[in-house]
Amino acid sequence: MLTYLRKRIISSGLPLLVVIVGVFALARMTGNPAALYLPLNATEAMREDFAVRNGLDQPIWVQMAQYFGGILRLDFGESMRTGESAGAMALRAFPATLQLAGTTMALAIVLAVIVGSAAALKPNGILDRFSSFLSMTAASIPDFWLAIVGIWVFAITLGWVPTSGVVGMAAWVLPVATLVMRPFGTLVQVVRGAMVSSLSEPYIKLARAKGATQYRVVGAHALRNAAAPGLTVAGDLTVGLVNGAVVVETIFGWPGIGKLMIDSILQRDFAVLQACVLLTAVAIFVLNILIDIGYALLDPRVRPSAGARKRRKARVEHRGQQNGPKAPTTPTTTGSAATAVLDA
Amino acid sequence: MMTEMLEPTAQSDPPTDTVLEVTGLDVDIRTPQGTVRVVSQVSFAARRGQTLALLGESGCGKSMTAKAIAGLLDPVASVAGGTAVLDGQDLNQMNPKQRRAVAGPGLGIVFQDALTALNPVYTIGTQLGEAFRIHRGASKKQAKAEAIDLMRRVGIPEPETRVNSYPHQFSGGMRQRILIAMAVALSPQLLIADEPTTALDVTVQAQIMLLLRKLRTEQQMAVVLITHDLAVVAEEADEVCVMYAGNVVEQGSVDKVFSHPTHPYTKGLLESVPTDAQRGEGLSSIPGSPPELTKIPAGCVYQDRCPLASAICRQERPLLRDTADGQRAACHFAEKVSAAKTDNDDANNVKEEIR
Amino acid sequence: MTQIQDQPVPGKTVKTSVAQRLGRPSMLSMLLRDKFATVAAVILGFVLLTAAFGPSLMGELATNQDLMFMNKAPFDPANGWAYFLGSDSLGRSMLARMVVATQTTLLVAVPAVLVALFLGSLWGVWAGYHRGRRENISMRLADIIMSFPSLLLAVVVLFVFSPSAANIVLILAITRIPIYMRTARAESAELQSRTFVDAARTFGTKPNSIIVRHVIPVVTPTLLTLATLEFCFVMLAESSLSFLGIGIQPPDVSWGLMVAQGRQYLQTAWWLSILPGLAIVITAVAANVLAAWMRIATDPAQRWRLTLDKQAKKDLTAVIKDAK
C-alpha cells in the first residue's frame, strides 16, 4: 500500500507541480488586474499602492516563492474582489459541484447499466441499435444548448422548474438532466461492449451448465466482469464533472467550483483561481485512489499482490481500448485536473 | 434399438443400465448462406459407470452434439430433430426452467479450456459452492464447506486455504480439476467431458484422465468423453462413436472397433498411427481433408477420401448397420473393410500399440 | 500422442467465401450499403460545401441589417427565402448568418483536428516504437498537457495574443494532441513487438523506415476513425468556448456564438438559439455515425458485414431473429 501511495504521489505530483506553476504564470499573463479593479482615472500612486498591497510589484519568481510558502501554511491568499480567504471561497463552492457530480454520475451509471445490459443481451437487435443511436446523440449534444432548450421548454414555456438556483428539488432537474447526457452516452457504449464480450465468455456457459437462472447469469457473472472497464471510464467521467461543469454551472447559476473558476479567470482574481485549481487537483488525486481501490476490489487479478504497476497498466489498457478501434463512440477525456473544462 | 445393439462388453461386469439415450439427433447452424446441418442422425447410449467416447476431427460435430445434449448451443445453432432421453425425460422437450433443474444434478459438463471457463472475479469456493446454492438452497457457509470437500475429492492440496483463491492463482492442471469438481458437485448421472485434456501438458493429461476414471467409478456416472485423441479412447473408453462430417460412421465397443474396424475412415485413422515405423519409410495418412459442412456431397460423406469409393457411394448414403456383434458402421463395403483388416497383422494389434 | 490433425473450422471459411463471392469491396460501395452512414456522409458533405461556397454567395446578406425585419419567426414564406429561418434582433437573415457561421466553425474544427492528428500521431508512434525513456517522457508530457486547465489557456491566448480563429485552432490542437498520442503509442508499442517488424529489423531497416512502412499504415485507419470522433468533440469545444465568450469574437460568427447571442432573446425569439444549436447537433451526430461506420469498414475482421447485399442482409436479420 505504501509503495502504491508513493508511486501514485510521484506520478501525480509532477504534473500537478507543473500545472500549478503554469497556472500561476499564465494567469499573470492575462493582464494586470489593476486595470479591472481601479477606476480608469486612477493615479500612478493608486496603481502602485494596489500593486504593493497585492504583492504584484515583486518579480514573478518572488511572488511564486511566497505563494508556495503560503501553501505550506495552508494560506492560499486573499481574493482581490472580496478580500476573503481564497481557500475558504473554493471550499465553500466545492460541495455544490460535488453534489451535482455525484447525483449525475449515480444516475448515469444506473441508466447506462440497465440500457447497456439490455442492449448486450441481443446484439444488433432493435433495442441495441436504438440504444447505440441514443447514446451517440446523447454524446453529441452540446450541453449549453441542451440547457437552453431545457430552460426554453420546461422553465419558460411550461413553467415546471425554475430557470436557475439551488433551492428545492425542482432546481436540480435541469442541471442534472443536462449534465447526465454525455456520461450516459459514453457509459452505455462501454457497458454494452463489456457485456457483449463477457456474455460470450465460456464461464457464462459454465454458469448455465450449473443451472443458474438468466438473472444470475447476467447479474452476477456477466455484469461483475463488465464492471471493471465500466469503472475506469466512469472514473474518468467523474473527474471531468468534479472539475466543475463550467457551462452548466454558469447557465443555471449553480454556485460551484466551475463557476467560481471562470469568474476568477475573467476577474483576474489570481489567488482564487489558484485555490480552485489546487483544490480540484487534490480532489481528483483522492478520486483516482478511490478508483484504483474500486478497480482492485472488482478485479482480483490486479490486487496488490500483483503490484500497483500492473494495476495501473490494466487501467491504462482499458483506456487504450476506449480510444482504440473497437472503442465506444466518444473518446473520454482522461486528464486529471481541469481538462474537462472544455467538455463542460 | 440402441440397447439391443450395444451389448454389455465382457469386461464390464456390473449391471449396465442406460442413463442417456440419444436417438436421431440433428443440429442445424444458420449461416447467411442458409441452414447447414452440422450433426445428422446421431444415435448412441451412455451407461452407468461406463465411458462413451465421441471421436473425430475438429469440426466433425462431436462438440456440437455434446452442447446440444447439455442445452448450451450458441444462438445460431439449434436442435432440429431427434431425442436425448436422460433418466426417462427428453432433454430436447424441456422448457428453460426444467433444463435448469437438470443442469447440475442430472448432467454435468467439463469444458476444454479451464482458464476461460472459470469466472475470473469470483473465488474458487464461491464458484464451487454455487451449484449447492442454486439447487440445494445451501447457506454461504454450507456451500463453502461443500466446496472444500469437493476440492479434497479432486485432489487439490490445502483446500481450506485454497478455497479463497481466485482462478488465476491456480495452475492449468489444478484449474481443470476444479472444473471437474464443479461438474460432479451434485453427483450427476451423466458427465460430459468436452476435450478435457486438450489444453494441458502430457503428464497432467494422464492425471486428469485418472481423476475422471476414479470419479466415474465412485459415483457410478455415465461419462461421455469427447476427444480427437485415439490413445485416450483406447485407454479410457468402453464404447466409441466415430464421427465424420456430422455423421456417426462407426460405433461399438472400443475393443471391437479398434481391432476390427469396419469403416474405411476408422481404418484410415488407425493406420495413420505410426507403429513400427522405419526410418525413411513414409508414414501413413488419410489423403485429403473433410468436406466443408456447406458442401457435404450427396451419397456417402466419406466418398472423396475413401479408397473403396464406387458408383453407389456417390448416389446412396449408407445407413448405420450391424457389421459385427456389437458393432455398426455406415459403409456399403463394411465386409470388405473388415476382411481386408483381418489380413493385416499390423492393424490387428493397433490397439495394443497405441497403448 | 496420436491425434487427428486439426482442420480449419467450417464457420470461418463461410465468412471468407462471402467476401470472395463479392470480391474486395470498394469503400464507396460499402458506404452505400449502410443507410445511416450514407445519410451521415451526405450531411457532412453538404456542411462542407456550405462552408466552402456559402459565404461568398450570402456573405453580404448576413451583415445586411433591416430594422423593419427584426426578430421575424422562421418558416414563414411571406418573408421571402432569405428569412426562411427567421431574422435576428438586428433584422439580419438567420439563414445567411448560419451559412457564414458554418465556415467559421469548420475553419476552426477541421484545422485543429488535422494539426492534432498529424503531430499527436507521429509523436505517439515514435514514442511507442522506441519505448524506454523516450516513451516515458512523452507520456508524462501528455499527462501534463491533459491536466492543464484548457479554459485558462484559452483566456490567456485571448488576452495576450489576438483572439483570432487561428489562436483558437492552436489551443484546441494542443489540448487534443495527447488523445492521438496515447492511441498511437499503444498501437505502435504493440506492433513493434510483432514478427513482421522483427523481420524488417533483421534486414537492417532503419527505425524511421520501419515506422513509415510498417507501423504507420497499420495504425492509420484507427487514427482516422479517432479523428472523425474528435472532429465532433473539437466542434463542441469551440462552441463551448464561444458560448463562454472566450472563443470566436463578434463580428465573426460561429454556431456556438450564435447560441450564446440568442440566449437573451429566448423568451421572444427562440430560433436565435435553438437553430444554430440544432446545426451543431446534426453535424456532430453525423460525424459520430460516420466514425462508427469507419470503425467497421476499416476492420478486416468486421468488414464482411458491410459487404452483404440487401438479400443477404435480410437473411442475416432473419437468422438473428430466429436465433432468439
Side-chain angles (χ1 to χ4, degrees):
Chain A
M1 193 61 202
L2 277 177
T3 346
Y4 161 72
L5 262 183
R6 205 183 61 222
K7 276 186 178 146
R8 240 302 166 208
I9 288 172
I10 290 172
S11 73
S12 318
L14 180 70
L16 180 63
L17 197 71
V18 175
V19 167
I20 291 177
V21 171
V23 167
F24 194 92
L26 281 178
R28 276 152 184 77
M29 285 169 73
T30 58
N32 191 343
L36 271 174
Y37 288 91
L38 296 178
L40 276 176
N41 56 359
T43 60
E44 202 52 40
M46 280 168 78
R47 284 178 199 278
E48 244 165 59
D49 176 57
F50 179 83
V52 171
R53 258 192 298 132
N54 291 291
L56 296 173
D57 54 337
Q58 313 271 358
I60 192 160
W61 58 269
V62 175
Q63 292 183 37
M64 204 177 284
Q66 281 169 350
Y67 178 66
F68 277 107
I71 290 179
L72 291 181
R73 284 174 277 121
L74 291 180
D75 172 12
F76 302 98
E78 275 114 41
S79 163
M80 283 184 216
R81 256 184 309 170
T82 61
E84 216 184 324
S85 150
M89 282 176 79
L91 276 176
R92 202 173 54 228
F94 205 40
T97 293
L98 277 187
Q99 286 164 357
L100 197 59
T103 318
T104 303
M105 280 316 291
L107 191 65
I109 290 172
V110 170
L111 287 178
V113 164
I114 294 172
V115 176
S117 305
L121 280 180
K122 288 170 186 171
N124 287 322
I126 290 179
L127 185 65
D128 187 21
R129 273 178 282 173
F130 177 72
S131 84
S132 95
F133 190 75
L134 184 78
S135 63
M136 245 179 230
T137 315
S140 310
I141 299 181
D143 43 14
F144 59 86
W145 184 71
L146 194 65
I148 287 176
V149 173
I151 290 177
W152 176 48
V153 174
F154 295 104
I156 294 178
T157 312
L158 298 170
W160 289 353
V161 289
T163 50
S164 66
V166 279
V167 189
M169 284 292 287
W172 287 70
V173 175
L174 281 183
V176 170
T178 308
L179 278 180
V180 86
M181 283 297 168
R182 195 164 307 158
F184 167 75
T186 310
L187 277 176
V188 163
Q189 294 290 320
V190 175
V191 170
R192 184 226 171 243
M195 282 295 279
V196 165
S197 73
S198 143
L199 277 170
S200 66
E201 291 284 337
Y203 55 74
I204 293 299
K205 281 216 159 88
L206 183 68
R208 290 195 204 281
K210 283 184 205 166
T213 55
Q214 177 79 353
Y215 178 74
R216 195 185 181 95
V217 167
V218 174
H221 285 274
L223 203 54
R224 180 64 204 281
N225 274 279
L231 178 81
T232 308
V233 178
D236 288 339
L237 292 167
T238 315
V239 166
L241 288 177
V242 168
N243 270 313
V246 178
V247 172
V248 170
E249 286 181 5
T250 308
I251 294 180
F252 291 107
W254 196 270
I257 200 98
K259 186 162 169 18
L260 187 62
M261 214 185 286
I262 182 93
D263 284 351
S264 52
I265 287 178
L266 296 175
Q267 304 280 333
R268 314 284 192 290
D269 206 345
F270 301 147
V272 178
L273 171 65
Q274 281 151 202
C276 288
V277 170
L278 201 63
L279 182 63
T280 48
V282 169
I284 286 159
F285 176 73
V286 173
L287 188 69
N288 268 318
I289 291 178
L290 290 179
I291 294 169
D292 274 1
I293 293 172
Y295 196 84
L297 287 178
L298 284 175
D299 191 343
R301 284 167 295 185
V302 292
R303 296 263 162 93
S305 57
R309 240 182 87 102
K310 219 169 172 180
R311 174 166 54 237
R312 291 293 299 164
K313 218 178 126 198
R315 276 188 60 196
V316 168
E317 270 160 18
H318 273 308
R319 283 174 179 165
Q321 285 164 14
Q322 254 288 288
N323 295 327
K326 285 157 211 97
T329 22
T330 2
T332 51
T333 340
T334 47
S336 40
T339 334
V341 168
L342 272 182
D343 290 350
Chain B
M1 61 180 255
M2 295 300 302
T3 25
E4 163 197 31
M5 258 314 309
L6 301 164
E7 295 294 344
T9 43
Q11 350 144 262
S12 50
D13 30 20
T16 51
D17 42 339
T18 306
V19 172
L20 173 78
E21 180 155 4
V22 177
T23 316
L25 184 73
D26 290 331
V27 177
D28 284 351
I29 287 188
R30 279 152 302 205
T31 70
Q33 282 79 49
T35 308
V36 177
R37 178 144 298 182
V38 288
V39 172
S40 168
Q41 289 295 310
V42 167
S43 303
F44 59 81
R47 293 149 206 280
R48 199 173 299 287
Q50 290 199 359
T51 298
L52 173 112
L54 292 182
L55 174 71
E57 297 164 77
S58 295
C60 75
K62 56 189 194 305
S63 264
M64 208 58 87
T65 308
K67 281 182 187 160
I69 295 166
L72 297 172
L73 285 173
D74 290 317
V76 289
S78 67
V79 173
T83 58
V85 178
L86 177 74
D87 200 22
Q89 284 176 292
D90 185 358
L91 293 167
N92 293 343
Q93 301 294 326
M94 286 183 175
N95 62 30
K97 202 178 166 194
Q98 291 168 316
R99 268 276 183 202
R100 284 201 295 273
V102 169
L107 182 158
I109 183 161
V110 180
F111 289 96
Q112 178 176 345
D113 186 357
L115 182 58
T116 56
L118 291 169
N119 195 329
V121 300
Y122 289 111
T123 63
I124 292 304
T126 314
Q127 297 188 59
L128 278 169
E130 197 179 9
F132 298 97
R133 311 251 307 146
I134 294 170
H135 291 280
R136 304 218 176 127
S139 70
K140 272 190 180 161
K141 214 170 169 185
Q142 288 167 326
K144 196 170 176 183
E146 295 277 9
I148 293 173
D149 186 49
L150 273 174
M151 288 169 79
R152 194 173 290 122
R153 264 164 63 200
V154 296
I156 293 173
E158 299 175 60
E160 287 83 1
T161 51
R162 297 293 267 163
V163 73
N164 292 323
S165 301
Y166 288 91
H168 69 275
Q169 294 164 323
F170 288 88
S171 69
M174 284 298 150
R175 282 198 284 258
Q176 197 66 45
R177 281 172 194 268
I178 291 161
L179 217 54
I180 290 171
M182 234 170 260
V184 302
L186 300 172
S187 311
Q189 298 161 288
L190 175 70
L191 180 72
I192 299 175
D194 188 356
E195 311 220 13
T197 59
T198 308
L200 301 174
D201 287 347
V202 180
T203 45
V204 184
Q205 283 185 3
Q207 293 167 5
I208 294 296
M209 291 315 301
L210 199 69
L211 173 67
L212 273 177
R213 204 188 309 166
K214 184 189 113 191
L215 291 169
R216 183 193 71 188
T217 329
E218 275 174 13
Q219 305 191 353
Q220 280 296 298
M221 293 181 297
V223 175
V224 173
L225 176 68
I226 290 146
T227 181
H228 56 229
D229 190 333
L230 289 167
V232 166
V233 176
E235 188 85 6
E236 302 293 332
D238 301 290
E239 279 161 26
V240 62
C241 277
V242 183
M243 290 187 68
Y244 185 81
N247 287 259
V248 173
V249 291
E250 181 159 14
Q251 65 186 169
S253 77
V254 171
D255 286 326
K256 290 194 173 155
V257 171
F258 275 33
S259 59
H260 296 280
T262 56
H263 193 282
Y265 177 61
T266 322
K267 192 181 167 201
L269 280 184
L270 294 167
E271 278 170 358
S272 63
V273 175
T275 54
D276 300 330
Q278 299 292 313
R279 175 185 277 268
E281 215 174 83
L283 293 174
S284 165
S285 69
I286 306 176
S289 55
E292 271 185 44
L293 288 174
T294 45
K295 294 179 194 147
I296 291 180
C300 178
V301 289
Y302 189 58
Q303 56 179 275
D304 292 339
R305 301 168 79 185
C306 183
L308 302 175
S310 63
I312 186 171
C313 303
R314 310 212 181 282
Q315 285 147 17
E316 200 181 313
R317 182 164 296 183
L319 297 172
L320 267 182
R321 60 193 173 91
D322 292 9
T323 49
D325 188 26
Q327 189 175 359
R328 311 207 305 166
C331 179
H332 293 298
F333 303 105
E335 287 72 22
K336 216 163 150 185
V337 179
S338 177
K341 199 77 201 165
T342 37
D343 293 344
N344 188 335
D345 271 346
D346 278 357
N348 226 341
N349 298 325
V350 155
K351 191 181 171 190
E352 273 60 45
E353 300 283 357
I354 310 174
R355 279 181 176 167
Chain C
M1 281 280 104
T2 46
Q3 300 190 336
I4 298 167
Q5 209 186 347
D6 268 8
Q7 295 296 336
V9 186
K12 283 190 180 150
T13 51
V14 171
K15 278 178 199 167
T16 48
S17 64
V18 176
Q20 279 157 8
R21 198 178 64 203
L22 296 160
R24 201 194 149 90
S26 72
M27 288 299 257
L28 186 67
S29 72
M30 281 198 290
L31 180 66
L32 291 177
R33 287 223 167 89
D34 187 327
K35 249 178 288 166
F36 279 103
T38 314
V39 172
V42 168
I43 290 175
L44 286 181
F46 178 72
V47 170
L48 277 176
L49 285 178
T50 308
F53 303 110
S56 56
L57 295 174
M58 306 176 87
E60 218 157 290
L61 194 59
T63 50
N64 217 357
Q65 300 183 6
D66 183 348
L67 295 182
M68 298 301 288
F69 258 88
M70 265 163 53
N71 288 353
K72 287 279 181 233
F75 313 124
D76 183 356
N79 295 334
W81 64 269
Y83 295 98
F84 181 68
L85 293 180
S87 63
D88 68 1
S89 55
L90 295 173
R92 290 174 295 193
S93 155
M94 274 296 282
L95 178 67
R97 276 173 63 78
M98 275 179 64
V99 165
V100 174
T102 308
Q103 189 179 47
T104 322
T105 306
L106 288 199
L107 274 183
V108 171
V110 173
V113 167
L114 291 182
V115 169
L117 169 71
F118 187 72
L119 294 180
S121 306
L122 282 187
W123 190 357
V125 165
W126 173 82
Y129 180 83
H130 290 292
R131 314 236 45 177
R133 210 177 38 187
R134 281 173 270 202
E135 185 185 21
N136 277 335
I137 294 175
S138 303
M139 291 331 282
R140 283 289 88 78
L141 266 173
D143 281 349
I144 291 172
I145 298 177
M146 297 256 359
S147 51
F148 215 83
S150 25
L151 195 61
L152 181 67
L153 208 63
V155 176
V156 170
V157 171
L158 186 68
F159 285 104
V160 179
F161 311 101
S162 62
S164 66
N167 283 330
I168 296 167
V169 168
L170 197 71
I171 298 165
L172 290 173
I174 290 175
T175 47
R176 298 319 280 175
I177 280 178
I179 299 285
Y180 300 95
M181 237 178 102
R182 287 185 171 175
T183 308
R185 185 214 63 91
E187 295 247 322
S188 152
E190 203 263 324
L191 283 173
Q192 64 91 28
S193 62
R194 294 269 196 90
T195 321
F196 68 89
V197 173
D198 277 342
R201 261 189 224 119
T202 57
F203 295 138
T205 319
K206 291 200 184 76
N208 283 344
S209 335
I210 296 182
I211 289 177
V212 171
R213 309 193 60 150
H214 295 285
V215 180
I216 289 180
V218 181
V219 300
T220 301
T222 310
L223 291 170
L224 283 182
T225 307
L226 185 62
T228 315
L229 280 179
E230 280 290 296
F231 167 74
C232 168
F233 182 91
V234 166
M235 196 177 64
L236 294 186
E238 178 272 318
S239 49
S240 292
L241 288 178
S242 300
F243 180 83
L244 289 171
I246 47 182
I248 301 291
Q249 299 294 316
D252 279 349
V253 60
S254 79
W255 288 339
L257 188 61
M258 288 178 78
V259 176
Q261 290 172 335
R263 197 177 144 210
Q264 50 182 315
Y265 303 100
L266 203 54
Q267 308 213 26
T268 50
W270 56 267
W271 55 92
L272 297 184
S273 268
I274 305 299
L275 291 181
L278 213 54
I280 299 175
V281 174
I282 290 172
T283 313
V285 172
N288 253 324
V289 170
L290 199 68
W293 170 82
M294 271 169 74
R295 200 153 45 214
I296 298 178
T298 54
D299 180 354
Q302 288 195 57
R303 189 183 289 148
W304 64 275
R305 287 169 190 278
L306 296 172
T307 62
L308 300 177
D309 50 32
K310 246 186 196 150
Q311 189 52 44
K313 210 165 191 177
K314 221 180 239 169
D315 290 348
L316 190 66
T317 350
V319 166
I320 292 164
K321 223 181 223 166
D322 272 10
K324 283 168 196 163

